[in-house]
Amino acid sequence: MKLTSLALLIGVMASGVSAADAPKQLNLGILGGQNATQQIGDNQCVKTFFDKELGVDTQMRNASDYSGVIQGLLGGKIDMVLSMSPASFASVYLQDPKAVEVVGIVVDDKDNSRGYHSVVIVKADSPYKKLEDLKGKSFGMADPDSTSGFLMPNQAFKKMFGGSVDDKYNNTFSSVTFSGGHEQDILGVLNNQFDGAVTWTSLVGDYNSGYTSGAFGRLIRMDHPDLMKQIRIIWQSPLIPNGPVLVSNKLPADFKAKVVAAIKKLDKDDHDCFVKAVGGKQHIGPATVADYQSIIDMKRDLMKGSRG
């Protein structure tokens, strides 16, 4: 009898400690490189949902660059990311394979496609029709930890032109500049800062509305309704797997399970909010680390090259 009472007491104490240890704050990581005010606005509904669902104070961690979110996940300062750059996830995984759990992958609502493309854009009234036409011209990349904004075009340009970003791909371009993000790349082309630049898009759906997901749609919604008439796509990459939904493994196990359940509930119960937050008409589909193995391998090779 005494043993039973003791076991019950220990059980009560353990559950009490667990409840007391449940975080009162949840940190949502938001990749930088786009208009910070709009990104915070697009994620405000996420904060409202999680605050109510989990009884927490959700803080939006809008990093100025992708590296800020990578370091936040590695250091336990960021608890979840609704749509991570695949290359940034690869950076996290290569430094600590157990840092995060892949909750799923964002999947296109329209056709269930699970990928997107890196594209090179130029001004619509420019004479450039193909990549080779940009020889001797200025070029814009997004962020070193962006898949479509650097990793994929970097690999393609090295094969096509030789060299590396450091020597402007055998001096194919007059300059190669990291603008800081996809939005800055597009604006750089519109403002004649770059003759060509990379960005990302699903290439699914209506061209004039900026496709179902990607960087074009955010700018169109902001203050560039005629964007797609002002630019032209002259190159596209092979398909890149859409970004993973991530949750930190540093969270207490019980609470982490609740966060995962809440993310899936947000997608189902307030899909419009989820769409706004991830920047496209997408929902969560199943995924594992294996879906990103090709990106992880590419990132590992790039990191080896930078050390060499």
Side-chain angles (χ1 to χ4, degrees):
M1 189 69 181
K2 283 183 180 177
L3 283 173
T4 306
S5 300
L6 182 61
L8 282 170
L9 180 62
I10 290 170
V12 169
M13 285 173 67
S15 63
V17 170
S18 173
D21 285 352
K24 301 298 182 197
Q25 183 173 299
L26 188 66
N27 297 295
L28 170 66
I30 303 171
L31 289 177
Q34 297 183 59
N35 182 285
T37 304
Q38 186 182 10
Q39 282 188 306
I40 295 291
D42 285 348
N43 282 273
Q44 194 63 46
C45 61
V46 178
K47 172 180 169 55
T48 302
F49 183 90
F50 276 88
D51 285 3
K52 184 178 178 184
E53 187 71 18
L54 298 176
V56 293
D57 177 18
T58 305
Q59 296 292 313
M60 288 179 271
R61 304 302 184 192
N62 183 256
S64 60
D65 57 20
Y66 289 28
S67 178
V69 175
I70 292 168
Q71 297 309 316
L73 286 169
L74 288 168
K77 303 295 185 188
I78 286 176
D79 302 315
M80 64 175 184
V81 182
L82 293 182
S83 183
M84 187 68 161
S85 150
S88 294
F89 165 61
S91 292
V92 172
Y93 183 83
L94 288 167
Q95 292 176 72
D96 182 358
K98 296 180 178 175
V100 295
E101 177 183 328
V102 175
V103 174
I105 183 174
V106 287
V107 179
D108 198 279
D109 285 347
K110 189 179 180 70
D111 68 351
N112 283 320
S113 59
R114 292 162 59 94
Y116 64 105
H117 298 269
S118 170
V119 293
V120 172
I121 61 165
V122 296
K123 286 183 84 168
D125 59 3
S126 74
Y128 317 121
K129 306 291 185 189
K130 56 188 187 298
L131 276 180
E132 290 81 357
D133 295 339
L134 289 172
K135 187 169 176 61
K137 305 300 179 184
S138 57
F139 197 84
M141 294 284 196
D143 185 289
D145 288 301
S146 169
T147 319
S148 54
F150 177 60
L151 192 64
M152 288 298 268
N154 175 66
Q155 186 186 52
F157 294 177
K158 285 199 294 187
K159 285 181 181 173
M160 194 177 298
F161 305 121
S164 69
V165 68
D166 297 324
D167 65 6
K168 296 167 285 194
Y169 304 102
N170 266 339
N171 289 309
T172 297
F173 304 108
S174 61
S175 63
V176 178
T177 306
F178 284 104
S179 69
H182 292 281
E183 188 178 294
Q184 289 93 320
D185 270 0
I186 300 169
L187 293 174
V189 168
L190 294 180
N191 298 333
N192 300 312
Q193 180 186 357
F194 307 129
D195 294 298
V198 289
T199 189
W200 77 283
T201 174
S202 66
L203 291 179
V204 172
D206 178 46
Y207 172 86
N208 288 317
S209 64
Y211 297 113
T212 53
S213 62
F216 300 134
R218 284 191 190 272
L219 268 180
I220 288 171
R221 288 203 314 274
M222 277 175 62
D223 52 6
H224 289 79
D226 296 324
L227 175 66
M228 303 310 286
K229 293 175 183 160
Q230 298 172 299
I231 56 105
R232 184 159 29 88
I233 295 170
I234 64 168
W235 176 86
Q236 69 182 63
S237 74
L239 197 69
I240 302 166
N242 281 338
V245 181
L246 303 177
V247 169
S248 172
N249 282 328
K250 290 181 172 63
L251 290 171
D254 288 353
F255 183 70
K256 189 185 92 168
K258 290 177 182 176
V259 172
V260 171
I263 291 172
K264 292 177 177 177
K265 187 174 180 183
L266 170 68
D267 179 28
K268 293 278 194 297
D269 291 6
D270 194 349
H271 188 61
D272 287 346
C273 172
F274 185 81
V275 163
K276 196 186 284 189
V278 300
K281 296 170 185 173
Q282 299 168 320
H283 59 277
I284 300 173
T288 66
V289 172
D291 291 285
Y292 298 96
Q293 194 59 54
S294 63
I295 302 295
I296 291 167
D297 293 342
M298 208 183 297
K299 187 73 179 182
R300 186 186 287 114
D301 289 344
L302 181 66
M303 289 164 76
K304 279 182 191 168
S306 65
R307 286 195 296 265

